[in-house]
Every structure is written in structure tokens, then in C-alpha cells.
């Protein structure tokens, strides 16, 4: 039985696809949850739809690092995958626990 973990809630479909691509490059399977709503609603602007990215539970920690790197590249700050602390984009490692998102 496959178990899926809700990894990340993207603020819009384009972001979801950007992250999905980054995860797939790493060989991580991705499911998008909520995307199908688009065809039902039709008229709704794309940026109003939130999409949840799901990954297999066993890929959770690897996928979290991909998200961290993605968020850092956006320059909007990033969330530590180890302790959950929010870090500003200027921090290379988590100010709270010292976790380095670039470290495998
Ligand atoms: Zn941390």
C-alpha cells in the first residue's frame, strides 16, 4: 500500500509545477492534489487555486530538502526541514538548529 505525505501547499498551480519538476529531477515521485478542481471550476483564476504536493512517505526528508532549496532560490526565505523554523533568504543554514539545507 502506498503511503503519501502532504509535503507542501503551493500558493498556485505554476509554483506546484515548478516544485514538481524539481522533485522529479531528484527521482522523487510526486502527486498533485487539488489540480483537478481546475477543470470543474473552469472560470476561476489559476492563482486562486491551492495545490498540495504529495510525495511517498519514505521520500519525505529528501523531498523536504528539495523544497528548502527551492524556497531559498526564490529569495523569500525558507523553512527549516529539521526544526520547522522560518529563515530569511540571507541565512545559508538554519539560525536556530544549524541545519544546512544544501547538505545531503
Ligand atoms: Zn532548524
Amino acid at each position: 500500500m502506498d503511503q503519501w505525505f502532504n509535503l507542501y501547499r503551493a500558493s498556485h498551480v505554476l509554483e506546484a509545477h515548478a516544485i514538481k519538476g524539481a522533485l522529479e529531477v531528484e527521482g522523487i515521485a510526486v502527486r498533485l492534489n487539488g489540480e483537478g478542481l481546475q477543470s470543474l471550476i473552469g472560470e476561476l483564476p489559476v492563482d486562486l487555486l491551492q495545490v498540495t504536493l504529495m510525495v511517498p512517505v519514505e521520500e519525505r526528508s529528501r523531498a523536504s530538502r528539495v523544497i528548502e532549496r527551492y524556497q531559498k532560490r526564490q529569495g523569500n526565505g525558507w523553512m527549516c526541514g529539521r526544526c520547522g523554523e522560518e529563515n530569511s533568504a540571507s541565512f545559508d543554514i538554519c539560525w536556530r538548529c544549524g541545519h544546512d539545507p544544501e547538505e545531503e
Side-chain angles (χ1 to χ4, degrees):
M1 191 179 74
D2 286 346
Q3 289 222 304
W4 292 79
F5 172 72
N6 283 348
L7 178 72
Y8 183 77
R9 181 181 287 174
S11 45
H12 49 77
V13 173
L14 291 179
E15 185 189 31
H17 278 280
I19 295 175
K20 180 171 183 277
L23 289 164
E24 285 174 344
V25 164
E26 302 285 329
I28 300 170
V30 184
R31 271 186 195 171
L32 297 182
N33 205 358
E35 197 182 18
L37 289 171
Q38 206 173 347
S39 53
L40 293 176
I41 299 167
E43 306 292 307
L44 208 63
V46 163
D47 56 356
L48 285 185
L49 288 169
Q50 292 205 323
V51 181
T52 303
L53 283 101
M54 301 171 75
V55 297
V57 169
E58 63 270 20
E59 299 281 22
R60 178 181 171 175
S61 59
R62 225 153 62 84
S64 298
R65 281 196 289 271
V66 174
I67 298 285
E68 286 170 1
R69 285 197 292 264
Y70 174 82
Q71 290 180 321
K72 281 182 71 176
R73 278 201 303 272
Q74 301 306 299
N76 299 324
W78 53 283
M79 200 180 82
C80 176
R82 185 197 278 169
C83 74
E85 188 61 48
E86 296 223 17
N87 290 279
S88 91
S90 59
F91 288 109
D92 284 333
I93 63 172
C94 177
W95 65 267
R96 190 180 188 194
C97 74
H99 173 61
D100 181 354
E102 306 286 343
E103 195 176 82
E104 291 300 325

